């Protein structure tokens, strides 16, 4: 079987160049206009692209505000909301989302992705990244992490998220009205990863993965 090349549209609010927002034909409200993102997703689908990539920032860039004020990198529409809004049952593009592991919480990420997994029919992807922006740390009420610590946490983060995704056995949900048993407690599989940084004992996730959806 011959190898295939996959194409992905990397979408940003007003273009990739920091001054592209000044081009006469660029609508300045693109960063906060959901219809802009939905239209681009439809265009990508018509063009037979395999996926769309949605970049995110948990803060504006860590540069002085005066030079920053000349760029368009001050607005970031939550990519999870964009992806959920474009999963209307017709589009086939696969949304790939940029989400931080440095400051976010594994359960929150696992739950949001499982919800998007159901909404998109299993088409969503996760671009797992660490954060170096001091302003991102401040927005989460913490301090920046050293390089090595960020990547230890990222590996643990991924392990915990995967464990949460696998916290229900494939046949856990019985949903037997006659017996009154909704799920089999013996089929619950709480995540038990080994950790150095993430001191937590995750309970089962509150949503099964799509492959384990009720049939």
């Amino acid at each position: 079987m011959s190898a295939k090349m996959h194409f992905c549209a990397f979408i940003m609010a007003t273009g990739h160049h920091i001054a592209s927002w000044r081009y006469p034909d660029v609508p300045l409200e693109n960063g906060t206009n959901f219809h802009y993102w939905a239209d681009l997703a439809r265009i990508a689908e018509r063009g037979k692209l395999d996926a769309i990539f949605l970049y995110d920032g948990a803060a504006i860039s860590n540069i002085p505000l005066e030079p920053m004020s000349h760029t368009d990198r001050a607005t970031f529409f939550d990519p999870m909301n964009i992806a959920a809004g474009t999963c209307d049952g017709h589009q086939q593009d696969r949304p790939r989302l940029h989400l931080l592991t440095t400051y976010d919480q594994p359960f929150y990420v696992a739950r949001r992705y499982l919800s998007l997994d159901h909404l998109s029919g299993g088409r969503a992807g996760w671009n797992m990244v660490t954060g170096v922006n001091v302003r991102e740390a401040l927005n989460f009420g913490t301090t920046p992490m050293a390089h090595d610590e960020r990547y230890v946490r990222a590996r643990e983060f991924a392990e915990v998220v995967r464990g949460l995704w696998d916290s229900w056995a494939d046949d856990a949900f019985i949903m037997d009205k006659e017996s009154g048993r909704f799920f089999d407690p013996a089929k619950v599989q709480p995540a038990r990863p080994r950790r150095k940084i993430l001191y937590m004992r995750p309970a089962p996730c509150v949503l099964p993965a799509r492959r384990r959806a009720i049939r």
Side-chain angles (χ1 to χ4, degrees):
M1 183 178 178
S2 59
K4 293 183 178 180
M5 182 178 291
H6 294 276
F7 290 92
C8 174
F10 184 176
I11 301 173
M12 298 191 76
T14 58
H16 282 258
H17 194 279
I18 59 173
S20 57
W21 65 274
R22 299 182 66 185
Y23 189 75
D25 294 334
V26 174
L28 296 181
E29 73 279 3
N30 280 351
T32 55
N33 181 3
F34 169 75
H35 298 291
Y36 161 78
W37 303 95
D39 288 344
L40 286 185
R42 284 189 284 269
I43 292 171
E45 182 184 21
R46 290 200 304 270
K48 306 300 182 184
L49 273 69
D50 296 290
I52 55 174
F53 178 76
L54 302 174
Y55 173 78
D56 189 26
I60 60 176
S61 296
N62 190 36
I63 61 175
L65 291 179
E66 171 54 33
M68 183 70 190
S69 70
H70 296 280
T71 78
D72 72 336
R73 301 295 191 263
T75 57
F76 295 97
F77 207 125
D78 188 331
M80 192 66 73
N81 291 332
I82 295 173
T86 58
C87 293
D88 58 5
H90 302 290
Q91 293 175 209
Q92 296 303 311
D93 277 326
R94 294 167 172 81
R96 299 291 185 261
L97 313 183
H98 174 116
L99 284 182
L100 286 172
T101 61
T102 307
Y103 308 115
D104 218 329
Q105 292 298 316
F107 173 79
Y108 187 48
V109 169
R111 185 187 187 192
R112 292 168 73 198
Y113 262 106
L114 282 181
S115 298
L116 186 60
D117 185 48
H118 285 270
L119 288 170
S120 68
R123 292 180 287 120
W126 176 18
N127 181 55
M128 189 177 71
V129 296
T130 66
V132 297
N133 187 343
V134 173
R135 287 177 173 145
E136 289 180 334
L138 295 175
N139 280 347
F140 281 92
T142 185
T143 56
M145 290 185 182
H147 176 277
D148 291 350
E149 185 181 14
R150 289 202 318 272
Y151 283 91
V152 170
R153 177 184 166 89
R155 286 190 290 271
E156 292 182 2
F157 197 104
E159 187 180 357
V160 173
V161 168
R162 290 192 187 106
L164 287 165
W165 286 342
D166 291 333
S167 58
W168 298 96
D170 288 348
D171 56 350
F173 288 88
I174 302 168
M175 299 186 73
D176 187 334
K177 292 184 178 181
E178 185 174 343
S179 67
R181 178 78 72 181
F182 192 81
F183 68 87
D184 185 346
K187 302 295 179 67
V188 179
Q189 305 165 150
R192 304 198 187 283
R194 293 172 295 178
R195 299 173 299 277
K196 293 181 180 179
I197 295 179
L198 292 170
Y199 297 104
M200 56 185 298
R201 297 176 60 188
C205 206
V206 293
L207 189 69
R210 194 180 64 90
R211 68 179 184 274
R212 300 189 175 105
I214 311 307
R215 292 186 271 280

